[in-house]
Amino acid sequence: MARRAEAWYTACMKLTILSDNNTLIDQYLLGEPGFSCLVEAEGKRFLLDTGYFGIFAQNADALGLRWRDVDGVILSHCHDDHTRGLSAFFTEGPKPQLVAHPSLFRRLWSRGLSIGCPYTRAKLARYFDLCLTAEPLALTENLFYLGAIPRVFPEQADQAQRQGEDGPDLTLDDTALAYRGREGVYVITGCSHSGIGNIVERAKQVTGMDRVLGVIGGFHVRQMDERSQGIIDYLEGEHIPNLYPCHCTALSVKVAMGNRMHIEEVGTGTGLEWV
Ligand SMILES: [Zn+2]
Ligand SMILES: [Zn+2]
């Protein structure tokens, strides 16, 4: 038990943003309208999302980070700005686990464009061990895939009308990762179509911790409106000390957030260590 306690206190999670809409001055990395993040915890390495053009691999190579032999690739949802980059793994080599929601392969459109995962189940099964689940999953002792997110604050969920084969598609596959730190929870999210407050509440539930110490990722707020205002009110009420909105978070929303709470800039190459 003593050894276990020691491991707990020295545990930490490292993350590196490998794809984002933003690039940072003096960091000669690529950006794109997409998201990908390398997460290292308790001796294991996972890639959350793969962006659109596969630049996550070039950025990882430039940073000297190994990506081809990750223990798992986790998809936050099916949209192609998070899944098209999976093609970087379409070579002979290690076959990592691919964790995603069972509805990953459904077809959907936005403004006439197909925006779902561009690869078939058979294609991905050649290069990954597929683990398709809507349930939470412990990736390590303290790192969790959250599975389907209950929408306890329905007003925070993205209401954009995307078209699926059977009617409007509400991105019910949207999910995120949560890390159980020493004194609170950290959340790494892709697009937060399910609503960042809903994701944070699910992260608390799955990790069994109430205090939220950090959130990084896209908050899917594209302009200031009633929904964005509600999300900002929620985040302010949570008193989260480390807030890193990026990807699909509009500048106007970041400005409004920054007037109410401390937020940090994010770009490809952003690296954080959270205990
Ligand atoms: Zn999306
Ligand atoms: Zn996105």
Side-chain angles (χ1 to χ4, degrees):
M1 282 309 287
R3 278 178 59 197
R4 183 186 160 95
E6 190 179 307
W8 169 259
Y9 285 112
T10 55
C12 81
M13 180 264 289
K14 286 187 201 175
L15 66 84
T16 310
I17 300 295
L18 295 178
S19 161
D20 184 52
N21 302 44
N22 193 32
T23 55
L24 300 171
I25 191 76
D26 292 338
Q27 292 216 41
Y28 296 97
L29 300 169
L30 302 174
E32 63 174 351
F35 184 79
S36 174
C37 179
L38 184 72
V39 181
E40 300 168 78
E42 295 154 293
K44 292 200 167 186
R45 302 157 67 252
F46 300 92
L47 194 65
L48 173 65
D49 293 340
T50 59
Y52 189 89
F53 290 111
I55 64 161
F56 81 87
Q58 292 166 72
N59 286 336
D61 288 343
L63 291 165
L65 295 169
R66 291 177 5 249
W67 60 272
R68 185 62 185 85
D69 57 349
V70 287
D71 294 283
V73 177
I74 320 297
L75 297 178
S76 67
H77 63 302
C78 71
H79 292 168
D80 56 357
D81 56 327
H82 299 251
T83 57
R84 188 172 288 274
L86 284 167
S87 60
F89 287 90
F90 295 172
T91 58
E92 294 311 312
K95 203 172 169 181
Q97 193 176 50
L98 179 69
V99 182
H101 190 277
S103 68
L104 174 67
F105 302 106
R106 72 189 187 283
R107 302 185 65 207
L108 69 157
W109 297 267
S110 174
R111 281 173 260 144
L113 288 175
S114 174
I115 61 161
C117 176
Y119 312 113
T120 62
R121 183 182 182 126
K123 177 82 175 176
L124 293 188
R126 278 179 58 188
Y127 301 103
F128 297 95
D129 283 326
L130 300 186
C131 173
L132 302 178
T133 179
E135 298 300 317
L137 187 68
L139 301 170
T140 67
E141 190 176 347
N142 293 304
L143 183 67
F144 298 88
Y145 163 81
L146 294 177
I149 306 292
R151 301 188 175 193
V152 292
F153 305 119
E155 69 282 4
Q156 287 196 24
D158 169 24
Q159 309 295 339
Q161 291 291 308
R162 299 180 190 88
Q163 197 58 37
E165 281 173 292
D166 304 317
D169 189 281
L170 298 174
T171 326
L172 297 178
D173 57 324
D174 183 66
T175 189
L177 296 181
Y179 179 70
R180 184 164 56 198
R182 194 164 55 200
E183 289 168 357
V185 187
Y186 297 94
V187 175
I188 312 165
T189 182
C191 259
S192 305
H193 292 288
S194 49
I196 190 63
N198 294 318
I199 291 171
V200 166
E201 292 303 314
R202 185 61 164 169
K204 291 179 188 174
Q205 202 179 39
V206 169
T207 59
M209 293 183 102
D210 243 6
R211 178 92 176 95
V212 182
L213 294 178
V215 182
I216 188 166
F219 291 4
H220 209 81
V221 274
R222 310 285 289 273
Q223 67 272 315
M224 274 310 294
D225 54 20
E226 203 178 323
R227 173 175 164 266
S228 313
Q229 201 56 60
I231 286 172
I232 292 172
D233 291 345
Y234 170 86
L235 291 170
E236 186 180 35
E238 286 294 309
H239 304 288
I240 302 168
N242 300 286
L243 267 179
Y244 291 78
C246 60
H247 181 40
C248 47
T249 315
L251 176 63
S252 57
V253 180
K254 288 182 192 167
V255 169
M257 287 177 73
N259 286 331
R260 302 264 298 273
M261 64 199 90
H262 179 73
I263 62 169
E264 294 280 353
E265 190 176 9
V266 181
T268 48
T270 292
L272 299 170
E273 253 186 68
W274 279 337
V275 292

